[in-house]
């Protein structure tokens, strides 16, 4: 405890004891074998999507909004309370134990291909949520937490995210230059390859530029991308050494699902939003109006306040427990867990979100970040000059 004035930790943060429930995500990879063994119901190999795509959206709807914000005077004490850090640190060993158990099952002959696919999907969702834990740790200045972020990214083999998110996405967010900012009229299925390929290329360029400034070559032990990728090579190589090469397709499948989940969340977070330009032509500083928010309590706990995304981009140095929900931020109609399902169906997504983008800009569609190839059509449909 860091408090010295007699004020309880719970008074500072009414959700304090709920944050440990964020470990349900990686723990879901530990449950399938025991649940199937004790119930005989093979559907439990798919417990990851059941929890993330069914139970969480239902609980979001039942429980509703969070409604609590930390007070400014409590910021320092909350930031320095190491309990919150351990809630993210513990994600990693649980995540790795789950992957170890799954690898042993993929290596055996007891499961059908369908059951192994269900287990891979469960692990993939854990891997994707693990990227969120890496996201929280990667924003910190402490060397330990930055290394832990790279370890958390090893399962998804998405180590370049460490560079691209911090030095690319946060600089260019809500502009046409950012591959991870979805554009109005762009479907999820158009966005996914653009964001994945664009983010990869951007991370390489950014890290080359950083190393060049230091007079160092790409093949260098200080290369953040190579450090992160090497952890994936060691992890996957070690698992194949123990369990056999034939687990590789399942490792690749779960990594692809994890990366896909991350990019789908990216799609939801900034769809159609565009930062204003200053008089000198440069983009204005990122504000809370440039990210979609949702303050649903259950997903807030599940994703360590990732849904308070507006405050995160406006103040990226804030730790998750200190993030605030603000009135000026555009609001999603449901939590992230629900919105990723909506995003998978483009006509439904556009019916739900396009009018919200228009309303956010006071009816002026020209202020939105519009997909270039659909720009003329969208502007014409709203009576604006193309």
């Amino acid at each position: 405890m860091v408090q010295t004035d007699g004020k309880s930790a719970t008074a500072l943060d009414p959700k304090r004891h709920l944050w440990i429930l964020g470990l349900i995500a990686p723990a879901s990879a530990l449950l399938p074998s025991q649940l199937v063994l004790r119930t005989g119901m093979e559907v439990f190999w798919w417990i990851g999507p059941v929890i993330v795509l069914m139970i969480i959206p239902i609980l979001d709807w039942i429980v509703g909004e969070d409604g609590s914000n930390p007070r400014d005077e409590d910021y320092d004490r909350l930031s320095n309370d190491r309990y919150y850090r351990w809630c993210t640190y513990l994600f990693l060993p649980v995540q790795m134990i789950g992957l170890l158990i799954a690898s042993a099952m993929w290596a055996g002959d007891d499961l059908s291909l369908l059951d192994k696919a269900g287990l891979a999907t469960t692990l993939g969702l854990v891997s994707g949520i693990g990227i969120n834990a890496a996201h929280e740790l990667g924003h910190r200045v402490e060397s330990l937490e930055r290394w832990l972020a790279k370890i958390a990214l090893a399962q998804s083999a998405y180590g370049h995210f460490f560079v691209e998110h911090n030095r690319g996405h946060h600089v260019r967010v809500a502009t046409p230059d950012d591959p991870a900012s979805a554009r109005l009229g762009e479907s999820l299925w158009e966005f996914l390859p653009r964001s994945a390929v664009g983010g990869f290329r951007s991370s390489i360029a950014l890290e080359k530029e950083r190393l060049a400034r230091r007079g160092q070559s790409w093949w260098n032990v200080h290369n953040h991308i190579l450090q992160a990728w090497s952890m994936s090579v060691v992890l996957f190589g070690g698992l194949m050494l123990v369990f056999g090469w034939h687990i590789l397709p399942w490792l690749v499948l779960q990594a692809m699902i994890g990366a896909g989940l991350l990019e789908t969340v990216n799609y939801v977070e900034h769809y159609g939003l565009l930062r204003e330009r200053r008089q000198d032509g440069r983009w204005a500083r990122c504000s809370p109006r440039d990210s979609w928010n949702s303050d649903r309590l259950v997903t807030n706990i599940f994703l360590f306040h990732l849904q308070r995304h507006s405050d995160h981009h406006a103040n990226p140095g804030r730790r998750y427990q200190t993030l605030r929900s603000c009135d000026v931020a555009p609001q999603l109609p449901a939590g992230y867990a629900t919105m990723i399902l909506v995003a998978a169906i483009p006509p439904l997504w556009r019916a739900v979100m396009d009018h919200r983008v228009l309303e956010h800009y006071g009816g002026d569609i020209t202020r939105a970040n519009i997909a270039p190839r659909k720009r003329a059509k969208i502007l014409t449909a709203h009576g604006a000059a193309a």
Side-chain angles (χ1 to χ4, degrees):
M1 297 290 293
V2 299
Q3 289 77 17
T4 59
D5 62 356
K7 188 177 296 183
S8 72
T10 304
L12 298 181
D13 176 16
K15 300 193 294 287
R16 178 183 177 84
H17 301 303
L18 297 178
W19 292 114
I20 200 69
L21 296 178
L23 297 179
I24 289 175
S28 67
L30 308 178
L31 300 176
S33 60
Q34 289 302 308
L35 291 173
V36 173
L37 176 65
R38 295 179 184 280
T39 67
M41 299 173 62
E42 295 181 349
V43 69
F44 283 116
W45 297 118
W46 300 81
I47 192 170
V50 169
I51 290 176
V52 175
L53 304 179
M54 296 176 62
I55 294 177
I56 297 299
I58 291 172
L59 288 177
D60 263 342
W61 178 70
I62 293 173
V63 176
E65 298 291 320
D66 186 332
S68 65
N69 269 341
R71 302 186 308 170
D72 290 341
E73 55 265 39
D74 295 331
Y75 174 79
D76 288 338
R77 284 176 291 184
L78 283 174
S79 294
N80 295 322
D81 190 335
R82 301 193 71 86
Y83 162 78
Y84 296 95
R85 304 186 193 188
W86 278 102
C87 288
T88 54
Y89 295 170
L90 289 172
F91 195 105
L92 275 69
V94 179
Q95 178 183 2
M96 293 304 167
I97 292 170
L99 182 60
L100 184 67
I101 293 172
S103 296
M105 293 179 177
W106 288 325
D109 298 323
D110 295 335
L111 303 187
S112 68
L113 283 176
L114 183 62
D115 292 341
K116 289 183 178 181
L119 184 59
T121 303
T122 292
L123 266 291
L125 293 179
V126 169
S127 178
I129 297 170
I131 298 176
N132 181 52
H135 165 258
E136 170 63 25
L137 294 165
H139 272 289
R140 310 284 72 88
V141 298
E142 291 86 345
S143 178
L144 170 62
E145 292 184 273
R146 291 171 68 82
W147 277 105
L148 290 176
K150 295 170 187 173
I151 294 172
L153 289 166
Q155 183 176 337
S156 62
Y158 224 58
H160 60 281
F161 173 83
F162 179 86
V163 170
E164 168 57 18
H165 180 80
N166 293 332
R167 304 211 313 269
H169 176 59
H170 268 268
V171 173
R172 300 178 297 224
V173 64
T175 73
D177 301 323
D178 180 32
S181 292
R183 299 157 179 173
L184 182 71
E186 181 179 38
S187 75
L188 172 65
W189 309 111
E190 294 171 307
F191 170 82
L192 288 177
R194 182 177 72 81
S195 182
V197 173
F200 176 83
R201 289 175 175 171
S202 173
S203 68
I204 300 295
L206 288 168
E207 190 62 0
K208 281 184 176 179
E209 180 183 340
R210 184 187 73 87
L211 292 169
R213 288 198 304 268
R214 301 176 62 175
Q216 297 172 333
S217 68
W218 173 261
W219 300 105
N220 188 289
V221 295
H222 301 292
N223 184 320
H224 290 308
I225 294 177
L226 293 184
Q227 288 172 355
W229 283 350
S230 67
M231 292 182 183
S232 295
V233 171
V234 170
L235 177 62
F236 286 17
L239 291 171
M240 286 189 289
L241 185 65
V242 173
F243 298 109
W245 66 268
H246 50 284
I247 69 168
L248 179 59
W250 303 111
L251 291 173
V252 172
L253 176 59
Q254 64 83 30
M256 291 176 62
I257 293 171
L261 178 62
L262 163 72
E263 296 293 1
T264 302
V265 171
N266 277 339
Y267 178 80
V268 169
E269 288 171 337
H270 303 285
Y271 177 76
L273 300 181
L274 185 67
R275 276 151 59 185
E276 294 182 353
R277 283 194 183 272
R278 302 186 311 197
Q279 290 185 347
D280 61 5
R282 296 183 180 182
W283 295 109
R285 184 180 184 275
C286 187
S287 78
R289 294 179 56 82
D290 302 321
S291 307
W292 289 102
N293 254 37
S294 175
D295 206 28
R296 303 283 173 158
L297 176 60
V298 175
T299 307
N300 268 354
I301 296 297
F302 198 62
L303 295 180
F304 297 113
H305 264 166
L306 181 65
Q307 295 183 132
R308 292 186 172 182
H309 210 59
S310 292
D311 197 21
H312 168 67
H313 269 283
N315 302 283
R318 281 182 171 265
R319 291 184 177 271
Y320 72 89
Q321 67 270 24
T322 66
L323 290 174
R324 303 154 299 181
S325 182
C326 49
D327 294 336
V328 298
Q331 298 296 317
L332 294 168
Y336 279 14
T338 301
M339 296 309 295
I340 61 177
L341 291 173
V342 177
I345 308 172
L348 177 60
W349 173 263
R350 294 201 63 186
V352 170
M353 290 301 299
D354 282 14
H355 71 90
R356 285 182 164 83
V357 175
L358 185 62
E359 291 164 5
H360 178 60
Y361 291 117
D364 185 357
I365 197 66
T366 64
R367 296 171 61 192
N369 185 9
I370 303 174
R373 71 183 187 87
K374 297 181 180 179
R375 184 174 184 84
K377 180 180 178 180
I378 290 174
L379 291 179
T380 300
H382 290 85

